Amino acid sequence: MRREQPLRRLDRVLRVPARSRLLLLEEIGADYEALLERLAARGVPEARARRLAARRLLPGRAARADLEAAYRTPLRRWLGQGITDATATALLVALTVALGSAGILAALWWPGPLRDAGAFSWLLAAVALPALANWGHGVARIVLEDDLRAERRVRLLGRHAGFAIAGLAVASLGVAWEALGLLTAFSASAPHGEALWSAVARVSTLGAIGLGVVAAGLLSWLLLVPKLLQYERTEARIRRVVEREPVTEVAR
Amino acid sequence: MQANLSKRINEILVLAVLERGPAHGYQIALAVEEETDGAFTFQHGTLYPILHRLEAEGLVTGAWQEGSRRRKTYALAPAGRAHLEAESSDLRAQFATLMGFLEGAARAA
């Protein structure tokens, strides 16, 4: 058994904020190595020394639960035991989507070019809402757990990029469709001033909404970037701790 | 009550070890186990929640030693020393009462 295996396992199962996870792993890892050295110096065979050190120092289920309770985020602490992480995440996502939906619906129902932009603006709303849910899910994880592990970060950003591209594609399609309609009308007969204005407004509004969706996607992503970078740096340090070569050569 | 007594004993054991001087977590675990002949042990990492709780309550202070490998050392804080003294005398009185009760019960039997 190599030293990093139990630490890696601990890293995988310990659900505390990323920074606390790093500090706990550093502390326990250093203690674990020092105890191995001490036991090896006493002539304890390496395999037995590892078992003894692991049994003493590596947190079991009860100790992990105590540590997780001690290092809860303020929101998690405030929510208490009654609400699970999954429920709290679902509630935060639902709140984000509800607020976003209210904003989008208000914009689409309000008299003006947005309402006149037609079916494509509704399609854009259909892309924006799941994008908002995805973003809300990331934010919920950050405020609830102050942690977003690598695989989750990749999934979050992958979906975020996918929704931004889908938004741009729908908007482009809408602009092309409306522009085609405008050109067709032009070729048939000179359109009235009001009809021309209405068609131009629809094309430009769709273009603006598409750009707006992409800009909102970028801005919302930028809001998460500092935290995501912090998690990235913390995880790099955790990797160095758990992947450290064993220093118990004296036991061999 | 049992959990509370166990928690108090664990805390007092940690504070008593630190009263002699700063120590790393594993040193505290070893000292408790060896000096009580294994009567008290910190198994499965139960030491760390205790240390971190005591640190959060200001009874011990934790400091990182930089080097090729960062290590955390704990020391008894002044509040911890006062807490140790108060808890020691309180537990002594409780155990004296308990022993008196058990001896009385044994005599009656």
Side-chain angles (χ1 to χ4, degrees):
Chain A
M1 185 188 287
R2 296 175 66 203
R3 172 196 167 269
E4 57 266 38
Q5 286 175 328
L7 275 186
R8 182 171 287 147
R9 194 166 55 242
L10 177 61
D11 174 42
R12 197 173 56 245
V13 295
L14 194 60
R15 293 187 64 193
V16 295
R19 174 78 185 153
S20 305
R21 188 157 48 97
L22 167 65
L23 294 177
L24 281 165
L25 286 167
E26 275 192 310
E27 179 181 3
I28 295 168
D31 276 353
Y32 181 75
E33 280 188 359
L35 183 55
L36 280 181
E37 287 171 8
R38 175 78 74 92
L39 293 172
R42 289 179 182 177
V44 178
E46 184 177 353
R48 182 168 158 70
R50 289 187 184 283
R51 275 198 306 276
L52 288 174
R55 195 185 306 154
R56 282 195 183 99
L57 298 179
L58 293 172
R61 193 185 296 265
R64 285 203 308 272
D66 286 346
L67 288 169
E68 286 165 3
Y71 286 100
R72 282 195 189 111
T73 57
L75 179 62
R76 197 73 205 76
R77 207 179 292 274
W78 182 75
L79 288 172
Q81 295 287 348
I83 301 178
T84 63
D85 274 359
T87 310
T89 303
L91 286 173
L92 284 171
V93 170
L95 181 69
T96 312
V97 172
L99 289 174
S101 304
I104 290 171
L105 283 175
L108 287 175
W109 281 108
W110 202 262
L114 272 175
R115 196 172 71 173
D116 300 335
F120 282 98
S121 58
W122 288 97
L123 273 177
L124 273 172
V127 172
L129 285 179
L132 207 56
N134 181 53
W135 183 80
H137 190 264
V139 172
R141 288 286 177 187
I142 289 171
V143 294
L144 276 170
E145 299 178 9
D146 196 8
D147 196 8
L148 204 64
R149 298 194 185 220
E151 64 274 19
R152 280 194 167 154
R153 289 199 302 274
V154 168
R155 281 206 300 268
L156 170 81
L157 294 180
R159 284 194 298 251
H160 206 71
F163 286 127
I165 291 168
L168 196 61
V170 169
S172 305
L173 200 61
V175 168
W177 179 263
E178 294 290 349
L180 189 67
L182 190 63
L183 285 175
T184 310
F186 257 126
S187 60
S189 61
H192 299 298
E194 195 177 324
L196 178 66
W197 167 243
S198 170
V200 168
R202 280 205 302 277
V203 170
S204 54
T205 303
L206 266 178
I209 296 172
L211 286 176
V213 167
V214 174
L218 271 174
L219 276 175
S220 58
W221 180 72
L222 282 175
L223 282 176
L224 299 184
V225 161
K227 266 290 177 192
L228 299 183
L229 284 177
Q230 183 191 318
Y231 295 148
E232 188 67 43
R233 281 193 296 267
T234 303
E235 280 195 351
R237 285 181 64 185
I238 287 174
R239 273 197 297 279
R240 282 200 293 276
V241 171
V242 299
E243 287 170 3
R244 207 185 167 96
E245 281 299 306
V247 291
T248 51
E249 281 78 10
V250 285
R252 288 178 186 157
Chain B
M1 181 182 172
Q2 193 182 356
N4 189 39
L5 183 63
S6 168
K7 177 175 168 267
R8 288 173 68 194
I9 290 173
N10 283 337
E11 287 183 0
I12 215 169
L13 287 166
V14 170
L15 295 173
V17 172
L18 292 177
E19 194 181 25
R20 295 178 226 154
H24 301 299
Y26 83 96
Q27 291 173 321
I28 298 169
L30 273 186
V32 167
E33 188 170 334
E34 289 172 359
E35 291 172 32
T36 63
D37 291 327
F40 295 98
T41 56
F42 290 109
Q43 298 281 5
H44 306 297
T46 48
L47 175 69
Y48 294 105
I50 297 166
L51 279 170
H52 287 230
R53 187 172 60 242
L54 292 173
E55 188 182 13
E57 291 170 359
L59 302 179
V60 305
T61 55
W64 287 94
Q65 290 176 321
E66 301 295 334
S68 64
R69 183 184 312 114
R70 268 161 52 90
R71 284 191 170 160
K72 195 170 184 184
T73 309
Y74 292 92
L76 192 63
R81 196 174 298 278
H83 185 75
L84 175 63
E85 284 170 15
E87 279 288 276
S88 298
S89 60
D90 193 42
L91 278 177
R92 267 196 208 98
Q94 283 191 21
F95 278 112
T97 307
L98 176 68
M99 295 315 290
F101 171 76
L102 292 176
E103 283 164 13
R107 272 199 301 275

